């Protein structure tokens, strides 16, 4: 048996959320070990939509171009009898997936999870993270002191790891959540679904048309384009028919081929099925997101229907909120009390998002959204941490610039965004280059805060009003922005920057 003591964080689970957590921690310079019981990254597409907020996070990692190369733009959603028939209804992509939205330096994209995960894995390893597959993890001392995790390799080898923190990213059936006695609360979505990833020549049905997703009524099934135009696969999604429950995998594949033929409108089609999956869903949120030094992220704390593509993006954003806080505590820059804000900030956003996904699951594609539905762009970019009551989102088209909101995008004349000026590892003080506080910070730099003075003459003329309403006001010498891109405070002429930092990091006054 080996013993490892030089790890600061153990991440259990190397799916999308676990690898995102690993990448964000590695970006922060944290010594992280990630383990997963599977032999490698996902082989099933699972999540596909990367919303605009997640794309901003990948941009800050420096992998935005890789994500784009591995995916393609969203072409919207169609409704028809079959793929080969006339397409009756086109549902355009949400506003946050359009360049016209103008609210971010990037846009949402379609990138299959099994293509995205290797990008995050490579990034994390290049920055020193250790990731082991074919390895199960058992939490043996979860609550007091340094948590201990025992790792069991597929070949029988055993390793004991003592870490400062553990992040459970082990999915909806999280063994760590169960071990800690944390319950999920919510409601089940009735029925069981089945999906099949397949390859087939569908041009006779497409006839030059392009589609990302289509509801095929004649087969009671959905078809999703996967991969890219140069490496195209498809995914069938449908409900588990009566009598299919006990079928062996080969027999189930035969049944799914029949549904694929009905959905495509090509009765002679011979699809090659590469993978199948059965799944149920619901709308659940965990009672607790943390027990001592153990934190839960992603599907371990929230389960939601796939409608709207919120699940994977919410998990990635859980990890992003947590990573910089753990890093600050590990470096000694912050007190452990900072970590309490993970649940207090994320819970209202998670509960809202789960409710919105459930609401979307209850309507027919093409049906007008119900009054209670919040548009996707507000959820992605308008969320607000620490709001006292009410719905924790604002209209990102008219951002308030208040603490707890995302620092807004303003385009500079050289094509960059104010978001590109933010340091993903340190706090950033951003404001006009005439700011006294920014000038003092530039002259007397600190390891905790990066200075980002902006020459207002390079603000794009179409963006000046937006800049002046957020970053350069009568009461603002600059905005103090956290490493996760969230506004911490407005710094005024009489503000004590270091006192604001101490308060944020839960440090005692000197």
């Amino acid at each position: 048996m080996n013993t490892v003591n030089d790890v600061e964080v153990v991440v259990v689970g190397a799916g999308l959320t676990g690898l995102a957590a690993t990448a964000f921690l590695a970006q922060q310079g944290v010594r992280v070990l990630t383990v997963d019981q599977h032999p490698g990254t996902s082989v099933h597409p699972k999540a596909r939509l990367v919303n605009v907020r997640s794309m901003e996070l990948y941009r800050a990692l420096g992998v935005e171009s890789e994500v784009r190369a591995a995916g393609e733009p969203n072409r919207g959603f169609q409704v028809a009898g079959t793929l080969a028939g006339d397409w009756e209804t086109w549902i355009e992509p949400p506003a946050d997936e359009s360049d016209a939205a103008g609210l971010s330096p990037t846009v949402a994209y379609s990138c299959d999870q099994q293509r995205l995960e290797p990008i995050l894995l490579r990034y994390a390893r290049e920055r020193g993270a250790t990731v082991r597959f074919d390895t199960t993890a058992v939490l043996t001392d979860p609550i007091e002191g340094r948590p201990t995790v025992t790792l069991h390799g597929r070949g029988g080898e055993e390793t004991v790891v003592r870490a400062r923190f553990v992040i459970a990213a082990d999915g909806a059936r999280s063994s760590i959540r169960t071990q800690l006695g944390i319950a999920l609360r919510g409601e089940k979505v009735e029925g069981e679904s089945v999906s099949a990833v397949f390859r087939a020549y569908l041009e006779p049905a497409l006839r030059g048309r392009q589609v990302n997703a289509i509801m095929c009524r004649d087969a009671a099934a959905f078809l999703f384009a996967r991969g890219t135009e140069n490496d195209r696969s498809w995914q069938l999604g449908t409900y588990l028919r009566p009598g299919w429950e006990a079928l062996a995998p080969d027999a189930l594949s035969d049944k799914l081929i029949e549904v694929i033929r009905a959905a495509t409108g090509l009765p002679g089609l011979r699809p090659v099925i590469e993978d199948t999956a059965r799944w149920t869903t619901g709308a659940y949120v965990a009672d607790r997101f943390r027990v001592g030094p153990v934190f839960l992220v992603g599907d371990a704390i929230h389960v939601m229907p796939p409608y709207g593509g919120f699940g994977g993006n919410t998990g990635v954003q859980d990890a992003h909120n947590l990573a910089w806080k753990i890093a600050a505590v590990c470096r000694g820059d912050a007190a452990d009390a900072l970590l309490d804000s993970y649940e207090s900030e994320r819970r209202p956003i998670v509960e809202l998002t789960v409710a919105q996904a459930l609401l979307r699951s209850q309507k027919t594609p093409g049906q007008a959204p119900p009054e209670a539905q919040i548009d996707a762009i507000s959820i992605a970019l308008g969320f607000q941490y620490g709001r006292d009551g009410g719905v924790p989102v604002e209209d990102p088209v008219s951002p308030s610039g208040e603490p707890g909101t995302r620092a807004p995008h303003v385009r500079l004349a050289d094509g960059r965004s104010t978001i590109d000026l933010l340091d993903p590892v340190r706090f950033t003080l951003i404001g006009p280059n005439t700011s006294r506080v920014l000038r003092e910070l530039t002259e007397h730099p600190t390891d905790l805060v990066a200075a980002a003075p902006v020459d207002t003459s390079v603000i794009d003329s179409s963006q000046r009003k937006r800049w002046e309403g957020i970053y350069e006001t009568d009461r603002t010498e600059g905005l103090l922005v956290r490493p996760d891109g969230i506004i911490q405070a407005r710094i005024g002429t009489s503000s004590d920057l270091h006192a604001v930092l101490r308060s944020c990091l839960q440090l005692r006054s000197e």
Side-chain angles (χ1 to χ4, degrees):
M1 179 186 297
N2 299 319
T3 301
V4 177
N5 293 302
D6 64 345
V7 171
E8 292 173 310
V9 180
V10 173
V11 178
V12 180
L16 177 59
T17 300
L19 287 172
T22 306
F24 296 141
L25 289 166
Q27 182 185 38
Q28 296 280 339
V30 175
R31 298 190 305 277
V32 56
L33 167 64
T34 299
V35 298
D36 194 286
Q37 62 182 330
H38 297 99
T41 54
S42 177
V43 297
H44 207 78
K46 298 182 182 178
R48 177 168 171 83
L49 174 64
V50 183
N51 73 14
V52 66
R53 176 60 178 163
S54 294
M55 285 296 284
E56 287 181 352
L57 306 187
Y58 298 146
R59 182 184 182 92
L61 280 179
V63 299
E64 179 189 11
S65 60
E66 292 183 63
V67 175
R68 288 181 178 278
E72 60 188 358
N74 189 345
R75 298 186 179 93
F77 189 92
Q78 298 283 355
V79 179
T82 68
L83 182 68
D86 293 333
W87 297 354
E88 304 156 11
T89 305
W90 177 60
I91 303 167
E92 63 181 334
D96 65 325
E97 298 180 42
S98 166
D99 285 316
L103 303 179
S104 175
T106 186
V107 293
Y109 222 62
S110 293
C111 183
D112 299 323
Q113 184 169 329
Q114 89 275 23
R115 289 172 172 259
L116 180 54
E117 287 180 2
I119 295 172
L120 297 174
L121 174 62
R122 182 169 58 254
Y123 175 94
R125 282 177 166 165
E126 287 175 351
R127 282 151 186 80
T130 300
V131 182
R132 299 181 187 173
F133 292 98
D134 281 326
T135 302
T136 58
V138 178
L139 190 62
T140 53
D141 183 15
I143 300 192
E144 297 180 358
R146 292 175 69 89
T148 301
V149 180
T150 302
L151 309 181
H152 300 276
R154 189 63 58 89
E157 63 276 14
E158 190 171 291
T159 304
V160 174
V161 182
R162 293 187 178 90
R164 186 160 184 183
F165 300 105
V166 172
I167 297 177
D170 52 345
R173 296 183 177 87
S174 170
S175 61
I176 292 180
R177 185 188 65 228
T178 300
Q179 181 180 348
L180 296 175
I182 299 174
L184 289 175
R185 309 288 181 186
E187 61 182 276
K188 180 181 179 180
V189 172
E190 294 300 323
E192 183 172 359
S193 299
V194 60
S195 65
V197 179
F198 67 95
R199 291 186 182 268
Y201 181 63
L202 298 186
E203 184 53 32
L206 290 167
R207 303 192 303 280
R209 300 175 296 184
Q210 294 181 323
V211 66
N212 270 78
I214 184 167
M215 178 186 179
C216 303
R217 287 193 316 274
D218 293 0
F222 293 86
L223 288 175
F224 303 93
R226 295 295 188 177
T228 63
E229 191 171 342
N230 295 326
D231 184 19
R232 177 67 72 212
S233 61
W234 295 85
Q235 183 178 7
L236 172 82
T238 190
Y239 67 96
L240 194 72
R241 308 314 203 241
W244 287 10
E245 296 87 354
L247 290 179
D250 287 348
L252 179 60
S253 292
D254 290 341
K255 295 292 186 181
L256 293 174
I257 287 174
E258 295 175 9
V259 180
I260 291 170
R261 289 170 175 163
T264 59
L266 301 174
L269 188 70
R270 294 186 177 183
V272 177
I273 292 182
E274 298 180 332
D275 191 45
T276 63
R278 289 171 53 174
W279 49 277
T280 57
T281 190
Y284 300 99
V285 179
D287 282 348
R288 301 179 67 183
F289 291 9
R290 173 192 185 186
V291 175
V294 182
F295 297 83
L296 286 76
V297 296
D299 290 352
I301 50 170
H302 47 72
V303 177
M304 63 190 81
Y307 302 91
F310 294 123
N313 290 294
T314 305
V316 168
Q317 291 154 36
D318 296 338
H320 194 249
N321 178 281
L322 179 60
W324 79 268
K325 297 173 181 177
I326 284 181
V329 172
C330 287
R331 286 193 297 262
D333 293 338
D336 281 14
L338 173 65
L339 298 171
D340 293 337
S341 66
Y342 167 60
E343 179 165 350
S344 64
E345 289 185 344
R346 288 302 297 166
R347 177 174 289 280
I349 308 303
V350 164
E351 290 177 342
L352 172 71
T353 307
V354 169
Q356 287 292 309
L358 179 63
L359 189 66
R360 285 161 166 78
S361 76
Q362 296 168 339
K363 71 183 187 70
T364 303
Q367 178 185 347
E371 185 177 348
Q373 182 170 313
I374 299 173
D375 61 277
I377 194 170
S378 293
I379 296 172
L381 299 181
F383 64 91
Q384 182 172 7
Y385 294 144
R387 174 173 287 190
D388 186 15
V391 178
V393 296
E394 64 177 19
D395 181 2
V397 176
S398 302
S400 66
E402 290 303 309
T405 62
R406 159 186 164 274
H409 156 69
V410 175
R411 188 173 61 252
L412 306 180
D414 62 5
R416 291 183 302 162
S417 165
T418 47
I419 290 176
D420 296 328
L421 305 181
L422 304 178
D423 192 315
V425 176
R426 297 184 291 168
F427 284 77
T428 303
L429 185 64
I430 181 172
N433 60 353
T434 55
S435 162
R436 175 190 61 80
V437 179
L438 265 167
R439 186 167 58 250
E440 290 178 357
L441 181 61
T442 302
E443 294 171 354
H444 305 285
T446 169
D447 291 340
L448 282 177
V449 187
V454 176
D455 181 351
T456 56
S457 67
V458 303
I459 299 292
D460 188 286
S461 58
S462 66
Q463 301 277 294
R464 183 167 294 280
K465 185 176 181 181
R466 187 179 181 86
W467 165 267
E468 292 175 348
I470 300 295
Y471 293 97
E472 187 177 6
T473 70
D474 293 340
R475 57 195 176 98
T476 303
E477 288 277 305
L479 289 184
L480 184 64
V481 182
R482 305 184 331 191
D484 59 352
I486 302 302
I487 298 170
Q488 176 62 33
R490 288 186 175 275
I491 303 300
T493 54
S494 60
S495 298
D496 183 336
L497 177 61
H498 296 287
V500 174
L501 280 170
R502 286 196 299 273
S503 175
C504 170
L505 297 172
Q506 300 289 309
L507 297 172
R508 294 179 181 176
S509 298
E510 297 175 352

